[in-house]
Amino acid sequence: MKKLILTLVAALGIAGAAQASEGGIHWDKAPVNTSDTASLQNGAKIFVNYCLSCHSAAFMRFNRLKDIGLTDQDIKDNLLFSTDKVGETMKAAINPKEAKEWFGANPPDLTVIARSRAGSGGSGADYLYTFLRTFYRDDTKATGWNNLAFPSVGMPHALWELQGERRAIFEEHDDHGTKTQVFKGWEQVSPGKMSAVQYDQAVGDLVNYLQWMGEPAQNTRTRIGVGVLIFLAFFIFIAWRLNAAFWKDVK
């Protein structure tokens, strides 16, 4: 019993630490629609161009992108940079030893990141959508970047060219003798290649792709599930009528 209590206490401590690392800010709702192939294709392009340099998707093969409307030739022409075979898995271009030296740890695999990051604030997609839109310049950090959703994150802002450089505006509040920094807004330091609306759309497409990549068969699963429910409803109706016909003469 004592061992069980200690285990529960440790689990609660880990959960609390994980929640603290997520910054405690409100997670924005991600515009996820895994049936939108145009969004998924754009998200795949952004993922390969901006994320795959450091992050792998070791459980995802390039040829699985045919499920979102791409052909082998499309994949070869636009998405193959780290390999020349569409049957290969999505491996990061960076050397793992160099990544650990530069960032302090190997960048995590992103195959199921949208499923693993769910929390009390919302789905994993909501977290990623918020995380990728709340980077800001912070000269006190080794990478020069910080994040509202994940304070002191060791990852630099991979999409800064698209969003531009921003600084977060904080106000110091005195909460019963404890001084806290309260986020108030953004100051745009330099413009990006995209407007704020365009950047949010691009991040939405990227997160949509990450959500799909975590379970590429989810749309098929949903269609099969709906079909099964329709069949069961029809079967129940037939069984009900057969039962009524069978017992009609007995009554």
Side-chain angles (χ1 to χ4, degrees):
M1 185 65 182
K2 184 178 179 181
K3 186 176 180 180
L4 176 61
I5 293 174
L6 290 174
T7 302
L8 290 173
V9 170
L12 289 172
I14 292 171
Q19 185 67 24
S21 71
E22 290 165 357
I25 67 168
H26 172 74
W27 295 356
D28 296 330
K29 186 67 176 176
V32 170
N33 178 8
T34 54
S35 297
D36 186 345
T37 55
S39 171
L40 292 173
Q41 290 174 10
N42 188 46
K45 182 180 72 173
I46 296 171
F47 176 78
V48 169
N49 282 282
Y50 290 94
C51 304
L52 200 56
S53 298
C54 298
H55 294 275
S56 292
F59 303 100
M60 180 70 178
R61 296 186 184 277
F62 282 98
N63 58 8
R64 194 64 194 262
L65 296 177
K66 291 191 289 186
D67 291 358
I68 59 175
L70 297 176
T71 65
D72 282 342
Q73 196 60 46
D74 291 333
I75 297 170
K76 289 179 180 178
D77 292 344
N78 303 299
L79 301 176
L80 288 186
F81 302 113
S82 58
T83 181
D84 57 355
K85 298 179 181 179
V86 295
E88 288 289 324
T89 56
M90 294 183 171
K91 297 178 181 178
I94 196 172
N95 184 298
K97 292 183 179 179
E98 292 179 347
K100 189 171 183 179
E101 181 180 344
W102 294 341
F103 304 119
N106 285 327
D109 186 276
L110 299 183
T111 311
V112 295
I113 191 68
R115 301 181 69 182
S116 66
R117 293 301 297 179
S120 60
S123 68
D126 296 338
Y127 169 77
L128 293 171
Y129 185 63
T130 305
F131 172 73
L132 292 170
R133 293 163 51 251
T134 54
F135 273 96
Y136 62 93
R137 273 294 183 188
D138 187 345
D139 296 334
T140 66
K141 303 302 178 184
T143 63
W145 295 95
N146 208 334
N147 191 280
L148 288 182
F150 194 151
S152 300
V153 64
M155 170 184 165
H157 188 8
L159 304 177
W160 73 270
E161 290 183 334
L162 304 181
Q163 188 183 30
E165 298 180 78
R166 302 187 300 176
R167 292 193 184 278
I169 301 172
F170 294 96
E171 284 186 2
E172 190 175 89
H173 285 204
D174 192 329
D175 186 11
H176 302 289
T178 302
K179 292 183 178 180
T180 58
Q181 296 290 324
V182 179
F183 173 71
K184 289 298 181 181
W186 301 106
E187 175 192 354
Q188 193 74 32
V189 177
S190 62
K193 295 179 180 178
M194 295 180 174
S195 67
V197 174
Q198 290 172 331
Y199 180 75
D200 286 352
Q201 179 65 53
V203 171
D205 291 344
L206 173 58
V207 171
N208 195 30
Y209 169 75
L210 292 172
Q211 177 71 28
W212 172 83
M213 183 169 64
E215 188 188 355
Q218 58 189 280
N219 292 335
T220 302
R221 171 175 56 79
T222 301
R223 287 194 297 270
I224 292 174
V226 171
V228 169
L229 290 175
I230 292 173
F231 169 78
L232 289 175
F234 178 73
F235 178 79
I236 289 172
F237 175 77
I238 296 298
W240 171 58
R241 296 312 305 157
L242 284 174
N243 180 71
F246 180 81
W247 288 102
K248 180 176 63 175
D249 296 333
V250 176
K251 291 179 180 179

